[in-house]
Structure formats: C-alpha cells, structure tokens
Amino acid sequence: MKFNPDNKNDVDLLVDTIDAQIEDASIEMFEDGHRDHLGASLIGDSCSRKLWYLFRWVKPAKFDSATRTQGQVLRLFNRGHREEPAIIKLLEKSGHRFLPVPEGQDQHRITLKCNGHFGGSLDAVGYLPEIFNFDDQVLYEFKTAGETQFRRLKKAGVKADKPLHWAQMCVYGKDKGIHHGLYLCVNKNTDEIYIEFLVLDWNLAETMEMKAEAIIEADEAPAKIAMSASHFVCKWCNFKDVCHYDEPVDVNCRSCKHSKAVENSQWKCKLADQVIPKDVVKLGCELHEGI
Ligand code: SF4
Ligand code: SF4
C-alpha cells in the first residue's frame, strides 16, 4: 500500500498506526517488570501489606486505566527522569557542584540492606554554591507533579504532603552519611519549581529500615490497613483483588509460600532446602502454593 496524504482513510490509519507504535515503544522502553529488591522510594507507603505483595511478586504492576493507556502512564513516570538533567544543568549554572556517579554505576545507589533485598538509587549528591559557605554534602531529589499535586505540595511541604519522598530521602541520607537534602519539584503544567531545604531524619531512616526488614522477613501478609476494598487507599491499590477478594497470585517462586528471601539477594525453596537459581525464581514450579 502506498500512503496517499489526500485520502482521509489513509491519514486516519497513519495517525492510529503511529499512536499504536508509540504505545508499543513506550512499553518496550519503560516497562521493567518486577523489581528484585524492595525499593527505598516506596518504603514510606502507609500499607506494609501492599509493599509485601509487591516484594513477593503476587501480580504485575497495572498501569492502564479507563482514561490512560499503559504506555501513557509509563511515559508519565519517565517524564521525571527526563527532567533531571535539565534541572541539574540549571543548578550547575547557579553554582551547585555535583559528585560524579560512581564508576561502573548508572546512578548513585545506596548499599543494599536486609540481606541485599532493600535498596534504592538517588538523584544526585553535591554541594551548595560557594556563596552559602556550607561545606557539607547535600542530597538532591528531583520530582515532577501536575498542577493539583504541585499546589498541594507548596501548601503543605514535603514531610506532610509527600511522606514517601521524605522517607526515601532520609534513608538515602543516612546511608550516605548526609544530613541535609534539597528537594525540587517541577510543575509539569507551568514549569514553576518548588524548592525545599530539609534536615534529614536518620531516626526515621532507621525506622524505615526496620520496616523493610519486617516486610522482607514476613512469611505471611502484614495486616490490611482497611477491611473494605472501597476504603480510599484500597480503592486505588493494584493488589485490591488479591487482598480483599482472594484473587489467585501469579506463579513464581517469590509468590510461593515455600520460598524465603535469604542472603546475597537470593531466594531459597524451603521444600528443596536450596537456593533457587535466578531464572527459576521467575517461573516457579508445579509445587507452587500461593502465599
Ligand atoms: S488493598 Fe488496601 S489493605 Fe490491601 S494491600 Fe492494598 S492498600 Fe493494603
Ligand atoms: S521451587 Fe516450587 S515449591 Fe519451591 S519456592 Fe519455587 S515454586 Fe515454590
């Protein structure tokens, strides 16, 4: 078929095809499946049960909704990453000095904790401009937000409005021995930037590490935060059907009641009494029993 720009059907088909191709490309580029470790970026979530389900790979993350395709949501998530180099450039121009990413790594990472099952990566570490005469290292965290979220953040501040971001910064800070953080959030609608200087709370970081350890060690799901699926938090939870309606879990070793997270980021099968090879963890076996 030769594309005819004067034919409406051809033009409609062209637009639909490009849209579908971008959707496929977005999924291929940005969908990275289950995470191996429990991430510090989520540890501040109010529901430990949700984090446990996530860690135990009970079902893949669901990104699409009635109004958004999976590719669109993945692009939205990626938007934040695209913003980072631009903010860093602006800050450098203003005199901030950033440490290079450690050799062999693509990001600044924290030391894996809880037998290698709890980790995370941070946006940047650096120093304030010399005019502030402040020699301590500062942890930088860059975020983006839509108009409504941005207004809420401006009004309430990071600790109150973004407890997950606050918790992750504290965990990173404690790991890197850094006491101060600079949080910058770009309004995706207007490009306004919200900036907050934070004194990081290492006690909170310790509490979060203990929370992570409890989730990683748990053989059974932590308590629900609400008994009804219509609760305002559960309503939007990816695990609502598993949690409230006993939906069967996906089959893999991490969602099996015979598995256990062990040292060196590995998983052990309690039935076979041996460490499970990484490629088998993804598949499970015929003896799988859902957690
Ligand atoms: S449905 Fe509710 S209780 Fe269950 S994991 Fe999700 S947020 Fe937690
Ligand atoms: S090997 Fe089979 S029984 Fe063992 S943890 Fe994996 S799925 Fe479960």
Side-chain angles (χ1 to χ4, degrees):
M1 170 200 134
K2 185 170 168 27
F3 172 66
N4 177 1
D6 298 322
N7 180 314
K8 186 177 178 317
N9 285 342
D10 275 18
V11 171
D12 287 348
L13 183 64
L14 173 94
V15 170
D16 288 348
T17 305
I18 293 174
D19 190 39
Q21 286 169 334
I22 290 177
E23 174 74 14
D24 290 348
S26 304
I27 294 168
E28 205 180 311
M29 285 167 69
F30 306 132
E31 164 64 293
D32 46 10
H34 291 296
R35 271 202 200 174
D36 283 338
H37 60 260
L38 180 60
S41 59
L42 299 175
I43 197 63
D45 195 288
S46 59
C47 184
S48 290
R49 188 178 178 99
K50 187 200 294 179
L51 295 174
W52 187 77
Y53 282 144
L54 193 71
F55 180 63
R56 298 298 295 252
W57 292 4
V58 306
K59 64 187 289 188
K62 182 179 177 294
F63 295 106
D64 57 332
S65 67
T67 52
R68 290 171 172 173
T69 66
Q70 183 176 6
Q72 184 184 354
V73 177
L74 289 166
R75 286 197 300 280
L76 258 179
F77 288 162
N78 188 256
R79 169 78 193 273
H81 298 306
R82 293 207 318 263
E83 205 75 46
E84 278 173 28
I87 302 183
I88 286 182
K89 265 197 176 154
L90 291 171
L91 289 171
E92 280 177 336
K93 192 123 184 89
S94 326
H96 297 254
R97 296 147 292 155
F98 293 101
L99 300 190
V101 171
E103 216 180 305
Q105 291 184 18
D106 54 348
Q107 282 171 301
H108 293 275
R109 294 186 189 283
I110 60 168
T111 316
L112 285 171
K113 303 172 198 320
C114 308
N115 279 333
H117 293 282
F118 179 52
S121 53
L122 46 128
D123 291 339
V125 177
Y127 295 93
L128 296 178
E130 280 168 1
I131 48 162
F132 296 107
N133 201 14
F134 185 75
D135 293 336
D136 293 358
Q137 280 187 354
V138 174
L139 189 115
Y140 291 75
E141 195 63 32
F142 309 125
K143 303 290 184 194
T144 55
E147 177 68 16
T148 311
Q149 284 188 344
F150 187 83
R151 294 284 145 225
R152 234 177 33 209
L153 169 66
K154 262 184 96 171
K155 200 166 168 210
V158 174
K159 285 184 209 173
D161 191 55
K162 296 288 177 195
L164 272 74
H165 298 169
W166 168 234
Q168 82 177 116
M169 287 181 80
C170 294
V171 170
Y172 298 157
K174 176 172 172 279
D175 179 80
K176 298 288 178 199
I178 298 174
H179 286 282
H180 300 97
L182 198 65
Y183 180 96
L184 292 96
C185 180
V186 178
N187 182 325
K188 286 186 277 190
N189 299 64
T190 63
D191 252 313
E192 183 182 349
I193 300 179
Y194 172 77
I195 303 167
E196 189 170 334
F197 185 76
L198 295 155
V199 179
L200 303 176
D201 181 350
W202 287 11
N203 290 329
L204 176 69
E206 201 157 328
T207 306
M208 291 297 123
E209 285 172 17
M210 289 191 296
K211 178 178 174 184
E213 191 165 350
I215 290 167
I216 288 161
E217 290 288 316
D219 286 326
E220 287 179 8
K224 296 174 187 172
I225 58 162
M227 295 319 290
S228 163
S230 59
H231 180 271
F232 75 98
V233 177
C234 301
K235 205 159 62 174
W236 305 108
C237 176
N238 183 39
F239 304 108
K240 181 177 63 181
D241 292 335
V242 173
C243 181
H244 289 286
Y245 301 118
D246 292 328
E247 182 186 66
V249 299
D250 278 7
V251 174
N252 59 67
C253 287
R254 291 173 67 144
S255 68
C256 174
K257 60 168 67 160
H258 302 302
S259 71
K260 181 101 196 135
V262 293
E263 57 281 353
N264 300 323
S265 315
Q266 292 179 306
W267 287 79
K268 184 176 176 180
C269 174
K270 290 184 275 183
L271 280 185
D273 193 24
Q274 63 183 42
V275 167
I276 311 165
K278 219 173 169 186
D279 49 339
V280 176
V281 171
K282 291 181 192 153
L283 305 172
C285 78
E286 66 281 2
L287 299 176
H288 177 273
E289 279 189 76
I291 46 181

